[in-house]
Amino acid sequence: MCFGKSKNTLYDDEPPRPAPGQAPQQPIYAPDPSPKASMPPQYHHQSQAQPQAQYQPPPPQHQQQQQPPPPAELSGTSAPPVELSASDDFAPPPGPPPSSRPNHDHSDDYAPPSGPPPPRTTTRPLPDRHLPPDHQTRLRRAAPGPPPSHTKPAHDWESVVPDTSLFPPPPSFFSGFDRSPASNAPEHEAEAGEEWCMQHPLMAPLALDAGAQHLLQTHNTRLMPPSTGYRGTLEWTAHGVWAGRTDPSASDSCIIGYPPLYAVTQHSPLANAGRPKTIYYEVILPQDGNRGDVCLALGFTALPYPSFRMPGWHRASLAVHGDDGHRFVNDRWGGKTFTAPFRRGETVGIGMTFTGVEGRVVTDVFFTRQGKEVGRWNLHEEVDAHQDLPVTGLEGYHDLSCAIGTYSAVGFSVIFDPARWAYKPPVA
């Protein structure tokens, strides 16, 4: 089916058909384009715009006659220049193709890019998530570089982090209580105790006489109950043993021992070539049938101390209280968490060790239950300048006496004789 003539046809008009009985006229052929391959390069472009010369073959009866000369572009002679028509707007650029350029170095056609090669990566590129799974598998298989390692090198943390097991225990900052969870004294009594301490400054170390030194050497310390306010009994029952009992209506009281268990003139490490000194005593809590909290405190204090206050509540005193298990060091509020509340029928003990270190005294406090040490703290490590009051008087430069606090109904036995102790301190 034909929809019209092509614009690129070589014929202006279709040749007429021969009449019946007439020999058909020979068609007019376009020149053979094969000679163009042997033409010089400078004629290639002109030959495209040069109009094609039509070749008229001779009639059949004159086939042996001489053929007319070929067109000028085929004979190698120059032809007059012609202007390009609009159909040549999309003609190829002038000049020979790149492969036909004279003196062209073909070695650069496939040369690598300039510069060093890119570094070899150790990670595989992530596959395109939009590709089919089989394509992703091919990408993984064809990814360059070594396979990724799933094991990380071990970090030598021991060379960076020190061994903290050799460090002293950190201070228990911000662990104090404003009030005890068990029982508390009235606020006016705390203010009265502070006023009493201001009126009675600490005493200088005593020069013990022969009788006091004998009592210390034989571990036969005497207990002195308060002259007023103490409601109960207190008596010496055996060598180095005292027994006491208070009434249910008894108020806060502090029982003081004499001579002091730590005497600076006798026991200071600075005066004894650095030799440490340990003071210690125990208290037995009998099964007396009373219920409720064990209202008794064990501690030490420098002299003098208000007898109507529990030890540990004011200056130069410390104690562990049995009703809540808290420890108090110059603390008239709620103390700090230390141990469990006391139980009737057990034996508890408290001690202090003074050690000379580089011209000063280091003080440790320890606590025992049933003959085993259950807690210890350093007197200076536990001081917080924002919460704790000074520990002056407890550092080993003042005499220290045992201090036993009582209130309400409680029974107790105080043991000073080391032969009767359930716990054996390392240094006596």
Side-chain angles (χ1 to χ4, degrees), residues 2 8 18 56 71 87 246 249 283 349 416 420:
C2 180
N8 296 330
Q56 298 292 339
S87 61
T246 57
S249 60
V283 172
F416 294 105
R420 301 173 183 265

Side-chain angles (χ1 to χ4, degrees), residues 129-147:
R129 301 302 180 187
H130 301 284
L131 295 177
D134 57 338
H135 286 217
Q136 298 181 20
T137 304
R138 295 194 192 102
L139 289 177
R140 294 190 186 99
R141 292 177 180 175

Side-chain angles (χ1 to χ4, degrees), residues 75-407:
S75 61
T77 60
S78 60
V82 295
E83 295 182 359
L84 299 178
S85 61
S87 61
D88 295 325
D89 293 343
F90 300 95
S99 60
S100 302
R101 285 179 293 174
N103 300 326
H104 175 67
D105 188 5
H106 296 276
S107 61
D108 297 335
D109 292 345
Y110 301 97
S114 59
R120 186 181 182 91
T121 58
T122 58
T123 58
R124 296 175 179 268
L126 295 177
D128 191 352
R129 301 302 180 187
H130 301 284
L131 295 177
D134 57 338
H135 286 217
Q136 298 181 20
T137 304
R138 295 194 192 102
L139 289 177
R140 294 190 186 99
R141 292 177 180 175
S149 177
H150 299 283
T151 59
K152 296 182 179 180
H155 179 63
D156 187 13
W157 59 270
E158 295 182 352
S159 61
V160 180
V161 181
D163 185 6
T164 57
S165 62
L166 303 178
F167 291 178
S172 56
F173 293 159
F174 311 111
S175 61
F177 292 83
D178 293 334
R179 294 179 61 85
S180 171
S183 57
N184 296 272
E187 183 66 24
H188 67 89
E189 293 185 5
E191 295 177 355
E194 289 295 308
E195 184 178 358
W196 190 95
C197 291
M198 294 179 61
Q199 297 176 359
H200 301 81
L202 292 177
M203 297 173 52
L206 298 175
L208 301 180
D209 56 16
Q213 293 183 18
H214 176 71
L215 292 177
L216 284 178
Q217 293 174 0
T218 58
H219 307 285
N220 196 18
T221 301
R222 303 294 182 176
L223 293 181
M224 298 178 297
S227 57
T228 59
Y230 181 79
R231 299 177 181 178
T233 60
L234 183 63
E235 57 181 351
W236 180 72
T237 59
H239 181 84
V241 179
W242 291 75
R245 182 178 297 275
T246 57
D247 299 335
S249 60
S251 59
D252 296 336
S253 299
C254 184
I255 302 173
I256 303 296
Y258 185 85
L261 296 181
Y262 175 81
V264 176
T265 57
Q266 302 289 325
H267 308 129
S268 174
L270 302 182
N272 292 277
R275 185 170 64 251
K277 174 62 179 179
T278 297
I279 58 176
Y280 177 77
Y281 68 94
E282 290 183 350
V283 172
I284 299 175
L285 302 173
Q287 292 283 4
D288 53 6
N290 293 327
R291 297 182 179 180
D293 299 333
V294 177
C295 303
L296 183 136
L298 279 71
F300 299 94
T301 185
L303 301 177
Y305 190 80
S307 60
F308 59 93
R309 296 288 288 169
M310 297 284 282
W313 283 355
H314 295 285
R315 58 95 198 268
S317 67
L318 62 87
V320 177
H321 289 209
D323 58 346
D324 53 15
H326 292 183
R327 60 176 178 81
F328 294 76
V329 181
N330 192 9
D331 184 353
R332 61 181 180 271
W333 295 278
K336 295 182 179 181
T337 302
F338 182 65
T339 187
F342 298 171
R343 298 185 300 271
R344 289 178 172 83
E346 69 175 347
T347 300
V348 293
I350 190 169
M352 298 180 68
T353 300
F354 306 89
T355 307
V357 178
E358 297 180 354
R360 62 188 182 92
V361 180
V362 177
T363 306
D364 291 327
V365 186
F366 60 95
F367 187 77
T368 65
R369 304 183 76 151
Q370 298 297 91
K372 297 181 180 180
E373 182 177 322
V374 296
R376 174 183 291 266
W377 78 89
N378 183 274
L379 189 65
H380 298 279
E381 291 177 353
E382 296 295 330
V383 174
D384 180 13
H386 299 282
Q387 287 191 347
D388 298 335
L389 296 178
V391 295
T392 304
L394 298 170
E395 303 165 303
Y397 307 107
H398 291 77
D399 298 340
L400 293 175
S401 299
C402 74
I404 301 171
T406 62
Y407 76 95

